Amino acid sequence: MSETLSFNLPEFVNEPFTDFSQPTTAAAMQAALQQVTARFEKEYPITIAGEKIQTGSTFTSYNPAAPEQTLGRFQMADATLAEKAVEAAWAAFPAWAKTPASTRAEYLLKASDLVKARKFEIAAAMVYEVGKSWAEADGDVAEAIDFLEFYAREMLRYSEPQPITPYPGEANEAFYLPLGVGAIIPPWNFPFAILVGMSTAAIVAGNTVVLKPAEESMLMGAIFVEIMEEVGLPAGVLNFITGDGAEVGGVMVNHPLTRFISFTGSKDVGLLISEQAAKRIPGQRWIKRVIAELGGKDATVVDETADLEAAASGIVAAAFGFQGQKCSACSRAIVVESVYDQVLAKVIEKTKALQIGDPTDPLAQVGPVINQESEDKVLRYIGYGHEEGRLVAGGHKLDRPGHFIEPTVFADVAPEARLAQEEVFGPVLAMIKAKDYRHALEIANNTPFGLTGAFYSAREERLQEARDDFFVGNLYLNRKCTGALVGVHPFGGFNLSGTDSKAGGHDYLLNFLQAKSVTRKIG
Ligand code: NAD
């Protein structure tokens, strides 16, 4: 049904990033870093249909830069509670689905105001919980604000009358309905932005959800729940549950009342979920929809005509920003042989100049990796690197508490090597030599992934060729392959990188809607 908007919204614009070189903003961030420590011993309940539940068994998320520091105590839910959460979402669905789109959008806009007001506090908590630098944490919160603002507007657009071809003797219309109960399963690496975006896109479209944050970043989930409660979101629309990913997530995915699963995370878990969702459970009346955004093995291609300085800067920023723990991180630099040594020398120099340190320090550019498992994995791949390439920068764990690993570069890696094919999700870059730009493009396309890519060249026809043939969901010409902005760079991958849902784009809400066509005979 179309409806009249109860408010006029200005056009969407991206939330600006904070300039921490200003003494006032730097002081505000320092104060926030101090203040949020007061939260660290708190215990957070599960929220099901507005009811606050404590299970008697808790677990913690911790600071990867200082593992003895606990960020909060969270409930360990079991399968029964996960089922209860899905049932609560199911019970809340009919009323929420009939709530006008403009009312649903207003909750997001109010939430955006609250996030703006708590920007420094949320960014500070994120610095401790996942080890982001100030700028990365600020960007994450800004992206969450963007998602709230963008999806609110998008829902208003989708609730307007949809274009339809006139037909004699009939009055026709098509409009969008929500799907039902959604399982929302985000990763820890954009612990606020992705969690907020995935949850609120589903909610504003009229669905009710069970949100299970990643175990590494549960405080970010708890803060989001506080905000949605403060804006008065009806009980049961957003149910929040913490626990073991496989156990609780497994129940959410396999429940017969679950209508869709919105997942962002690793390839292996995404494929498992996709397989599980394909099986019909007794009592299930629909084909479950899976929106899965997964990993990457993203490449930067540099040809002999490129601005080599800009290319090397782009490679290093995209390889080591947030310690390489972005799905969009550059983990392969593919350089044509005539300029390979020059680019390699610049990459080594820029990598060695990066400041490693505790992310509470505003000067730290590279912080810790997320946990022990990740540290072990990164060090294992560094081991492979010694077999498959030539170590030219980094390569070691720092001798200090926390999961700090040096930004690491291996040169002369073969295109088929493990280091060139498998996602490491840490600060490790493989440099690969190509005969020419076409060969480089071939190498770039030759992995099972297809998420982001960058192509540096001064030649217009080559840029055009990359535009057409570099098979990734997000391609960047003459700039780095990280840093997608909501509304500007709709985000999602090809191949095993995902279902190409294009978060932050005009198609995204369609993932959470189904269209109904109605024909009335007239005359
Ligand atoms: P992960 O797959 O380990 O976990 C993701 C989520 O799934 C977590 O909430 C986890 O608790 C849950 N989970 C784990 N096992 C489950 C199971 N059996 N059933 C249901 N849920 C389960 O991934 P991660 O370590 O949190 O995130 C890193 C990965 O995410 C990387 O591969 C990265 O590339 C990818 N990622 C992709 C995008 C994208 O947009 N394509 C964005 C961010 C991160």
Side-chain angles (χ1 to χ4, degrees), residues 477-515:
L477 303 176
N478 289 330
R479 59 148 279 191
K480 69 182 166 81
C481 63
T482 53
L485 285 174
V486 171
V488 183
H489 314 111
F491 195 80
F494 296 164
N495 295 340
L496 289 180
S497 288
T499 50
D500 193 39
S501 63
K502 288 291 184 271
H506 291 295
D507 301 330
Y508 190 65
L509 283 200
L510 286 178
N511 291 294
F512 308 98
L513 292 166
Q514 53 194 340

mmCIF file of all heavy atoms in Angstrom, residues 477-515:
data_model
loop_
_atom_site.group_PDB
_atom_site.id
_atom_site.type_symbol
_atom_site.label_atom_id
_atom_site.label_comp_id
_atom_site.label_asym_id
_atom_site.label_seq_id
_atom_site.Cartn_x
_atom_site.Cartn_y
_atom_site.Cartn_z
ATOM 1 N N LEU A 477 39.094 2.244 -9.532
ATOM 2 C CA LEU A 477 40.111 2.593 -10.525
ATOM 3 C C LEU A 477 40.947 3.748 -9.979
ATOM 4 O O LEU A 477 40.408 4.796 -9.598
ATOM 5 C CB LEU A 477 39.433 2.982 -11.847
ATOM 6 C CG LEU A 477 38.509 1.905 -12.435
ATOM 7 C CD1 LEU A 477 37.804 2.420 -13.691
ATOM 8 C CD2 LEU A 477 39.260 0.613 -12.736
ATOM 9 N N ASN A 478 42.258 3.515 -9.921
ATOM 10 C CA ASN A 478 43.213 4.511 -9.435
ATOM 11 C C ASN A 478 42.922 4.986 -8.016
ATOM 12 O O ASN A 478 43.150 6.151 -7.673
ATOM 13 C CB ASN A 478 43.289 5.706 -10.393
ATOM 14 C CG ASN A 478 43.998 5.314 -11.689
ATOM 15 O OD1 ASN A 478 44.873 4.442 -11.672
ATOM 16 N ND2 ASN A 478 43.618 5.924 -12.797
ATOM 17 N N ARG A 479 42.394 4.097 -7.190
ATOM 18 C CA ARG A 479 42.305 4.345 -5.740
ATOM 19 C C ARG A 479 42.260 3.001 -5.017
ATOM 20 O O ARG A 479 42.060 1.957 -5.622
ATOM 21 C CB ARG A 479 41.120 5.230 -5.360
ATOM 22 C CG ARG A 479 39.759 4.725 -5.738
ATOM 23 C CD ARG A 479 38.681 5.164 -4.747
ATOM 24 N NE ARG A 479 38.696 4.283 -3.588
ATOM 25 C CZ ARG A 479 37.746 4.269 -2.652
ATOM 26 N NH1 ARG A 479 36.725 5.110 -2.715
ATOM 27 N NH2 ARG A 479 37.794 3.434 -1.626
ATOM 28 N N LYS A 480 42.422 3.086 -3.696
ATOM 29 C CA LYS A 480 42.511 1.847 -2.904
ATOM 30 C C LYS A 480 41.195 1.082 -2.878
ATOM 31 O O LYS A 480 40.130 1.669 -3.125
ATOM 32 C CB LYS A 480 42.983 2.161 -1.480
ATOM 33 C CG LYS A 480 41.976 2.916 -0.628
ATOM 34 C CD LYS A 480 42.591 3.204 0.737
ATOM 35 C CE LYS A 480 41.801 4.238 1.502
ATOM 36 N NZ LYS A 480 40.618 3.809 2.193
ATOM 37 N N CYS A 481 41.293 -0.218 -2.525
ATOM 38 C CA CYS A 481 40.110 -1.082 -2.632
ATOM 39 C C CYS A 481 39.326 -1.213 -1.335
ATOM 40 O O CYS A 481 38.431 -2.045 -1.237
ATOM 41 C CB CYS A 481 40.509 -2.455 -3.179
ATOM 42 S SG CYS A 481 41.631 -3.382 -2.107
ATOM 43 N N THR A 482 39.643 -0.401 -0.313
ATOM 44 C CA THR A 482 38.824 -0.395 0.906
ATOM 45 C C THR A 482 38.120 0.953 1.021
ATOM 46 O O THR A 482 38.452 1.899 0.299
ATOM 47 C CB THR A 482 39.704 -0.592 2.166
ATOM 48 O OG1 THR A 482 40.761 0.382 2.137
ATOM 49 C CG2 THR A 482 40.306 -1.975 2.223
ATOM 50 N N GLY A 483 37.158 1.028 1.948
ATOM 51 C CA GLY A 483 36.546 2.324 2.255
ATOM 52 C C GLY A 483 35.271 2.614 1.493
ATOM 53 O O GLY A 483 35.014 3.754 1.085
ATOM 54 N N ALA A 484 34.415 1.586 1.306
ATOM 55 C CA ALA A 484 33.134 1.809 0.619
ATOM 56 C C ALA A 484 32.234 2.691 1.477
ATOM 57 O O ALA A 484 32.165 2.529 2.693
ATOM 58 C CB ALA A 484 32.453 0.473 0.342
ATOM 59 N N LEU A 485 31.568 3.622 0.818
ATOM 60 C CA LEU A 485 30.651 4.531 1.510
ATOM 61 C C LEU A 485 29.207 4.170 1.171
ATOM 62 O O LEU A 485 28.883 3.888 0.014
ATOM 63 C CB LEU A 485 30.905 5.972 1.051
ATOM 64 C CG LEU A 485 32.139 6.669 1.591
ATOM 65 C CD1 LEU A 485 32.287 8.028 0.898
ATOM 66 C CD2 LEU A 485 32.056 6.851 3.103
ATOM 67 N N VAL A 486 28.354 4.242 2.174
ATOM 68 C CA VAL A 486 26.925 3.980 1.980
ATOM 69 C C VAL A 486 26.364 4.945 0.927
ATOM 70 O O VAL A 486 26.657 6.143 0.949
ATOM 71 C CB VAL A 486 26.179 4.152 3.326
ATOM 72 C CG1 VAL A 486 24.671 4.097 3.132
ATOM 73 C CG2 VAL A 486 26.633 3.085 4.317
ATOM 74 N N GLY A 487 25.584 4.401 0.034
ATOM 75 C CA GLY A 487 24.954 5.226 -0.999
ATOM 76 C C GLY A 487 25.865 5.510 -2.176
ATOM 77 O O GLY A 487 25.410 5.655 -3.306
ATOM 78 N N VAL A 488 27.167 5.560 -1.918
ATOM 79 C CA VAL A 488 28.144 5.927 -2.944
ATOM 80 C C VAL A 488 28.716 4.682 -3.624
ATOM 81 O O VAL A 488 28.857 4.642 -4.849
ATOM 82 C CB VAL A 488 29.303 6.747 -2.318
ATOM 83 C CG1 VAL A 488 30.299 7.199 -3.377
ATOM 84 C CG2 VAL A 488 28.755 7.937 -1.541
ATOM 85 N N HIS A 489 29.065 3.689 -2.814
ATOM 86 C CA HIS A 489 29.666 2.452 -3.318
ATOM 87 C C HIS A 489 28.874 1.254 -2.786
ATOM 88 O O HIS A 489 29.320 0.598 -1.837
ATOM 89 C CB HIS A 489 31.117 2.313 -2.842
ATOM 90 C CG HIS A 489 31.958 3.547 -2.975
ATOM 91 N ND1 HIS A 489 32.415 4.272 -1.891
ATOM 92 C CD2 HIS A 489 32.424 4.191 -4.068
ATOM 93 C CE1 HIS A 489 33.140 5.296 -2.315
ATOM 94 N NE2 HIS A 489 33.161 5.280 -3.623
ATOM 95 N N PRO A 490 27.709 0.946 -3.367
ATOM 96 C CA PRO A 490 26.921 -0.198 -2.878
ATOM 97 C C PRO A 490 27.809 -1.440 -2.824
ATOM 98 O O PRO A 490 28.553 -1.714 -3.766
ATOM 99 C CB PRO A 490 25.814 -0.348 -3.928
ATOM 100 C CG PRO A 490 25.731 0.984 -4.588
ATOM 101 C CD PRO A 490 27.115 1.562 -4.558
ATOM 102 N N PHE A 491 27.741 -2.182 -1.698
ATOM 103 C CA PHE A 491 28.797 -3.152 -1.402
ATOM 104 C C PHE A 491 28.317 -4.598 -1.391
ATOM 105 O O PHE A 491 27.355 -4.935 -0.712
ATOM 106 C CB PHE A 491 29.419 -2.813 -0.047
ATOM 107 C CG PHE A 491 30.716 -3.508 0.203
ATOM 108 C CD1 PHE A 491 31.886 -3.020 -0.352
ATOM 109 C CD2 PHE A 491 30.758 -4.658 0.950
ATOM 110 C CE1 PHE A 491 33.088 -3.677 -0.159
ATOM 111 C CE2 PHE A 491 31.959 -5.323 1.159
ATOM 112 C CZ PHE A 491 33.122 -4.825 0.607
ATOM 113 N N GLY A 492 29.027 -5.462 -2.127
ATOM 114 C CA GLY A 492 28.719 -6.892 -2.109
ATOM 115 C C GLY A 492 29.529 -7.604 -3.164
ATOM 116 O O GLY A 492 29.907 -7.004 -4.172
ATOM 117 N N GLY A 493 29.784 -8.908 -2.931
ATOM 118 C CA GLY A 493 30.754 -9.597 -3.771
ATOM 119 C C GLY A 493 30.190 -10.638 -4.707
ATOM 120 O O GLY A 493 29.066 -11.099 -4.546
ATOM 121 N N PHE A 494 31.023 -11.002 -5.692
ATOM 122 C CA PHE A 494 30.709 -12.056 -6.658
ATOM 123 C C PHE A 494 31.324 -13.384 -6.192
ATOM 124 O O PHE A 494 32.102 -13.440 -5.244
ATOM 125 C CB PHE A 494 31.302 -11.727 -8.036
ATOM 126 C CG PHE A 494 30.739 -10.491 -8.700
ATOM 127 C CD1 PHE A 494 31.411 -9.901 -9.766
ATOM 128 C CD2 PHE A 494 29.547 -9.912 -8.274
ATOM 129 C CE1 PHE A 494 30.911 -8.766 -10.406
ATOM 130 C CE2 PHE A 494 29.030 -8.775 -8.908
ATOM 131 C CZ PHE A 494 29.727 -8.205 -9.970
ATOM 132 N N ASN A 495 31.028 -14.431 -6.952
ATOM 133 C CA ASN A 495 31.598 -15.767 -6.703
ATOM 134 C C ASN A 495 31.385 -16.189 -5.241
ATOM 135 O O ASN A 495 30.332 -15.913 -4.672
ATOM 136 C CB ASN A 495 33.084 -15.801 -7.092
ATOM 137 C CG ASN A 495 33.270 -15.589 -8.592
ATOM 138 O OD1 ASN A 495 32.334 -15.779 -9.354
ATOM 139 N ND2 ASN A 495 34.452 -15.216 -9.015
ATOM 140 N N LEU A 496 32.412 -16.778 -4.627
ATOM 141 C CA LEU A 496 32.236 -17.217 -3.237
ATOM 142 C C LEU A 496 32.377 -16.063 -2.241
ATOM 143 O O LEU A 496 32.409 -16.288 -1.043
ATOM 144 C CB LEU A 496 33.222 -18.340 -2.910
ATOM 145 C CG LEU A 496 32.924 -19.677 -3.583
ATOM 146 C CD1 LEU A 496 33.964 -20.737 -3.194
ATOM 147 C CD2 LEU A 496 31.522 -20.188 -3.232
ATOM 148 N N SER A 497 32.458 -14.848 -2.725
ATOM 149 C CA SER A 497 32.449 -13.695 -1.815
ATOM 150 C C SER A 497 31.034 -13.315 -1.407
ATOM 151 O O SER A 497 30.868 -12.432 -0.564
ATOM 152 C CB SER A 497 33.146 -12.490 -2.451
ATOM 153 O OG SER A 497 34.533 -12.698 -2.499
ATOM 154 N N GLY A 498 30.026 -13.923 -2.001
ATOM 155 C CA GLY A 498 28.700 -13.625 -1.468
ATOM 156 C C GLY A 498 27.599 -13.568 -2.498
ATOM 157 O O GLY A 498 27.783 -13.889 -3.673
ATOM 158 N N THR A 499 26.435 -13.129 -2.011
ATOM 159 C CA THR A 499 25.239 -13.083 -2.856
ATOM 160 C C THR A 499 25.082 -11.712 -3.511
ATOM 161 O O THR A 499 24.035 -11.408 -4.076
ATOM 162 C CB THR A 499 23.989 -13.425 -2.030
ATOM 163 O OG1 THR A 499 23.994 -12.616 -0.840
ATOM 164 C CG2 THR A 499 23.981 -14.883 -1.620
ATOM 165 N N ASP A 500 26.105 -10.887 -3.398
ATOM 166 C CA ASP A 500 26.090 -9.563 -4.027
ATOM 167 C C ASP A 500 24.856 -8.760 -3.617
ATOM 168 O O ASP A 500 24.166 -8.176 -4.450
ATOM 169 C CB ASP A 500 26.160 -9.693 -5.559
ATOM 170 C CG ASP A 500 26.469 -8.350 -6.222
ATOM 171 O OD1 ASP A 500 27.296 -7.609 -5.654
ATOM 172 O OD2 ASP A 500 25.876 -8.038 -7.261
ATOM 173 N N SER A 501 24.619 -8.700 -2.325
ATOM 174 C CA SER A 501 23.390 -8.029 -1.850
ATOM 175 C C SER A 501 23.477 -6.508 -1.953
ATOM 176 O O SER A 501 22.468 -5.830 -1.879
ATOM 177 C CB SER A 501 23.085 -8.446 -0.418
ATOM 178 O OG SER A 501 24.117 -8.022 0.447
ATOM 179 N N LYS A 502 24.666 -5.981 -2.083
ATOM 180 C CA LYS A 502 24.884 -4.542 -2.246
ATOM 181 C C LYS A 502 24.307 -3.723 -1.092
ATOM 182 O O LYS A 502 23.374 -2.912 -1.252
ATOM 183 C CB LYS A 502 24.324 -4.062 -3.592
ATOM 184 C CG LYS A 502 25.171 -4.540 -4.779
ATOM 185 C CD LYS A 502 26.541 -3.864 -4.811
ATOM 186 C CE LYS A 502 27.396 -4.216 -6.016
ATOM 187 N NZ LYS A 502 28.250 -5.419 -5.826
ATOM 188 N N ALA A 503 24.916 -3.959 0.079
ATOM 189 C CA ALA A 503 24.585 -3.162 1.265
ATOM 190 C C ALA A 503 24.853 -1.691 0.964
ATOM 191 O O ALA A 503 25.821 -1.361 0.281
ATOM 192 C CB ALA A 503 25.442 -3.622 2.439
ATOM 193 N N GLY A 504 23.984 -0.829 1.475
ATOM 194 C CA GLY A 504 24.165 0.604 1.233
ATOM 195 C C GLY A 504 23.833 1.006 -0.186
ATOM 196 O O GLY A 504 24.225 2.080 -0.641
ATOM 197 N N GLY A 505 23.092 0.166 -0.907
ATOM 198 C CA GLY A 505 22.682 0.504 -2.270
ATOM 199 C C GLY A 505 21.169 0.467 -2.387
ATOM 200 O O GLY A 505 20.463 -0.009 -1.485
ATOM 201 N N HIS A 506 20.682 0.931 -3.534
ATOM 202 C CA HIS A 506 19.223 1.035 -3.701
ATOM 203 C C HIS A 506 18.529 -0.309 -3.872
ATOM 204 O O HIS A 506 17.312 -0.379 -3.804
ATOM 205 C CB HIS A 506 18.906 1.967 -4.874
ATOM 206 C CG HIS A 506 19.259 3.393 -4.573
ATOM 207 N ND1 HIS A 506 18.612 4.115 -3.599
ATOM 208 C CD2 HIS A 506 20.195 4.215 -5.079
ATOM 209 C CE1 HIS A 506 19.134 5.329 -3.532
ATOM 210 N NE2 HIS A 506 20.110 5.409 -4.422
ATOM 211 N N ASP A 507 19.289 -1.388 -4.109
ATOM 212 C CA ASP A 507 18.662 -2.706 -4.233
ATOM 213 C C ASP A 507 18.587 -3.457 -2.903
ATOM 214 O O ASP A 507 17.957 -4.501 -2.818
ATOM 215 C CB ASP A 507 19.456 -3.595 -5.220
ATOM 216 C CG ASP A 507 19.544 -2.980 -6.602
ATOM 217 O OD1 ASP A 507 18.616 -2.253 -6.984
ATOM 218 O OD2 ASP A 507 20.551 -3.227 -7.293
ATOM 219 N N TYR A 508 19.282 -2.939 -1.896
ATOM 220 C CA TYR A 508 19.500 -3.761 -0.691
ATOM 221 C C TYR A 508 18.204 -4.171 0.006
ATOM 222 O O TYR A 508 18.040 -5.324 0.401
ATOM 223 C CB TYR A 508 20.432 -3.026 0.279
ATOM 224 C CG TYR A 508 20.898 -3.898 1.427
ATOM 225 C CD1 TYR A 508 21.711 -5.010 1.198
ATOM 226 C CD2 TYR A 508 20.523 -3.626 2.748
ATOM 227 C CE1 TYR A 508 22.146 -5.819 2.248
ATOM 228 C CE2 TYR A 508 20.951 -4.431 3.799
ATOM 229 C CZ TYR A 508 21.767 -5.526 3.549
ATOM 230 O OH TYR A 508 22.193 -6.325 4.583
ATOM 231 N N LEU A 509 17.279 -3.244 0.175
ATOM 232 C CA LEU A 509 16.060 -3.583 0.930
ATOM 233 C C LEU A 509 15.229 -4.660 0.245
ATOM 234 O O LEU A 509 14.438 -5.342 0.898
ATOM 235 C CB LEU A 509 15.203 -2.346 1.182
ATOM 236 C CG LEU A 509 15.660 -1.384 2.284
ATOM 237 C CD1 LEU A 509 14.502 -0.514 2.739
ATOM 238 C CD2 LEU A 509 16.288 -2.084 3.470
ATOM 239 N N LEU A 510 15.406 -4.825 -1.062
ATOM 240 C CA LEU A 510 14.672 -5.887 -1.770
ATOM 241 C C LEU A 510 15.000 -7.267 -1.207
ATOM 242 O O LEU A 510 14.205 -8.193 -1.339
ATOM 243 C CB LEU A 510 14.996 -5.861 -3.269
ATOM 244 C CG LEU A 510 14.366 -4.720 -4.065
ATOM 245 C CD1 LEU A 510 14.818 -4.797 -5.510
ATOM 246 C CD2 LEU A 510 12.842 -4.777 -3.983
ATOM 247 N N ASN A 511 16.181 -7.390 -0.577
ATOM 248 C CA ASN A 511 16.536 -8.661 0.043
ATOM 249 C C ASN A 511 15.582 -9.039 1.169
ATOM 250 O O ASN A 511 15.497 -10.193 1.566
ATOM 251 C CB ASN A 511 17.950 -8.600 0.627
ATOM 252 C CG ASN A 511 19.007 -8.531 -0.448
ATOM 253 O OD1 ASN A 511 19.174 -9.479 -1.194
ATOM 254 N ND2 ASN A 511 19.702 -7.410 -0.547
ATOM 255 N N PHE A 512 14.893 -8.032 1.709
ATOM 256 C CA PHE A 512 14.073 -8.257 2.903
ATOM 257 C C PHE A 512 12.584 -8.052 2.609
ATOM 258 O O PHE A 512 11.774 -7.922 3.520
ATOM 259 C CB PHE A 512 14.533 -7.316 4.025
ATOM 260 C CG PHE A 512 16.015 -7.413 4.250
ATOM 261 C CD1 PHE A 512 16.888 -6.473 3.688
ATOM 262 C CD2 PHE A 512 16.560 -8.475 4.948
ATOM 263 C CE1 PHE A 512 18.255 -6.586 3.845
ATOM 264 C CE2 PHE A 512 17.922 -8.593 5.112
ATOM 265 C CZ PHE A 512 18.777 -7.654 4.562
ATOM 266 N N LEU A 513 12.253 -7.974 1.333
ATOM 267 C CA LEU A 513 10.874 -7.693 0.913
ATOM 268 C C LEU A 513 10.414 -8.733 -0.098
ATOM 269 O O LEU A 513 11.234 -9.371 -0.771
ATOM 270 C CB LEU A 513 10.807 -6.307 0.251
ATOM 271 C CG LEU A 513 11.044 -5.102 1.159
ATOM 272 C CD1 LEU A 513 11.287 -3.855 0.314
ATOM 273 C CD2 LEU A 513 9.879 -4.878 2.111
ATOM 274 N N GLN A 514 9.100 -8.881 -0.237
ATOM 275 C CA GLN A 514 8.542 -9.664 -1.346
ATOM 276 C C GLN A 514 7.424 -8.825 -1.970
ATOM 277 O O GLN A 514 6.658 -8.150 -1.268
ATOM 278 C CB GLN A 514 8.038 -11.022 -0.875
ATOM 279 C CG GLN A 514 7.076 -10.986 0.290
ATOM 280 C CD GLN A 514 6.870 -12.366 0.933
ATOM 281 O OE1 GLN A 514 7.147 -13.383 0.307
ATOM 282 N NE2 GLN A 514 6.400 -12.380 2.162
ATOM 283 N N ALA A 515 7.344 -8.870 -3.291
ATOM 284 C CA ALA A 515 6.384 -8.011 -3.988
ATOM 285 C C ALA A 515 5.063 -8.751 -4.204
ATOM 286 O O ALA A 515 5.050 -9.945 -4.497
ATOM 287 C CB ALA A 515 6.968 -7.587 -5.328
#
